[in-house]
Amino acid sequence: MSTAVALSSSLKHNLALGIRFPQNPSFYRRNGPKVSTFRTFTVAMAASNTTPLEICVKASVSTPNKLGDCPFCQRVLLTMEEKHLPYEMKLVDLSNKPEWFLQISPEGKVPVVKFDEKWVPDSDVIAQSLEEKYPNPPLVTPQEKALVGSKIFSTFIGFLKSKDPSGGTEQALLDELSLFNDFIKENGPFINREKISAADLSLAPKLYHLEIALGHYKKWSIPDTLPYTKSYMKRIFSMDSFMKTRASPEDVIAGWRPKVMG
């Protein structure tokens, strides 16, 4: 019942590699052997003929061989998890990008996913491609709801970077969170009511970064006057797919430090 997964030539690049299979009855999961070169590799095997999708993601700066703090990488991994797709993570040290990675991602950005022997960048494009190639279960957000919460991330960054308490950046963020709170109150528990969709998988990692970064650098948290926003975050953050693909708080804090201190 097992399908052997061969170690690829990426071993030559001292790449931390992990093949992940979502918790789904159709998959059999176990921890494979650890193989050491300069770093540790973990290979899982599954009773499935589905070829794992290869995805390059940011590596942790705090823990060897762990996923890093990129919310766009988590968005793609969440999509794969929710669609029950096996995937092979290639962890990339973005502070010292290897040549093989720059050959497939000339701009040096993650995530990039391999579709039909072609490496595709940009989480928007990747999420759309996953929906087209693997339509079940569907994660499409209705067009009229696709932009719900889309301004939260930029206002969060503005507030996080601001050195002026009277600059209006906190209020700008609160305004966007209030709009989202009102929307979820009337339309929740998710953006597309009872059904989680692509818009949730895009927004949730950004809210996770918001919670950790603002808590650490500003000693700020979402006020209790926005209970539907807070319950939305609690609901999504507790999902198995989210917990499996989230970065550690230490990595999130380290990832935002240059923007705060710069």
Side-chain angles (χ1 to χ4, degrees), residues 75-76 79 83 122-132 198:
R75 173 195 182 182
V76 173
T79 303
K83 285 186 171 293
D122 192 305
S123 63
D124 285 335
V125 176
I126 294 169
Q128 181 62 35
S129 297
L130 287 170
E131 191 62 41
E132 292 172 355

Side-chain angles (χ1 to χ4, degrees), residues 5-53:
V5 179
L7 290 175
S8 71
S9 60
S10 57
L11 281 167
K12 298 177 182 178
H13 305 294
N14 306 326
L15 180 66
L17 177 154
I19 298 179
R20 298 286 305 278
F21 293 89
Q23 290 186 347
N24 183 293
S26 64
F27 293 111
Y28 167 78
R29 183 175 178 177
R30 68 178 178 82
N31 289 328
K34 291 185 177 180
V35 182
S36 296
T37 55
F38 294 94
R39 295 173 68 179
T40 302
F41 297 80
T42 303
V43 176
M45 303 200 182
S48 171
N49 292 325
T50 304
T51 302
L53 291 165

Side-chain angles (χ1 to χ4, degrees), residues 152-171:
I152 291 175
F153 194 55
S154 60
T155 54
F156 145 62
I157 295 173
F159 178 39
L160 181 67
K161 294 170 64 177
S162 175
K163 303 290 193 297
D164 182 5
S166 61
T169 55
E170 179 182 8
Q171 189 58 52

Side-chain angles (χ1 to χ4, degrees), residues 107-155:
E107 294 184 1
K109 295 181 179 180
V110 290
V112 285
V113 173
K114 193 175 186 180
F115 291 113
D116 302 322
E117 302 305 314
K118 179 182 178 182
W119 287 96
V120 176
D122 192 305
S123 63
D124 285 335
V125 176
I126 294 169
Q128 181 62 35
S129 297
L130 287 170
E131 191 62 41
E132 292 172 355
K133 292 176 179 293
Y134 309 98
N136 293 311
L139 295 173
V140 176
T141 305
Q143 187 173 1
E144 66 273 14
K145 299 179 180 179
L147 296 180
V148 171
S150 62
K151 295 182 180 179
I152 291 175
F153 194 55
S154 60
T155 54

Side-chain angles (χ1 to χ4, degrees), residues 163-180:
K163 303 290 193 297
D164 182 5
S166 61
T169 55
E170 179 182 8
Q171 189 58 52
L173 174 59
L174 284 170
D175 289 346
E176 292 301 325
L177 290 171
S178 295
L179 288 173
F180 185 73

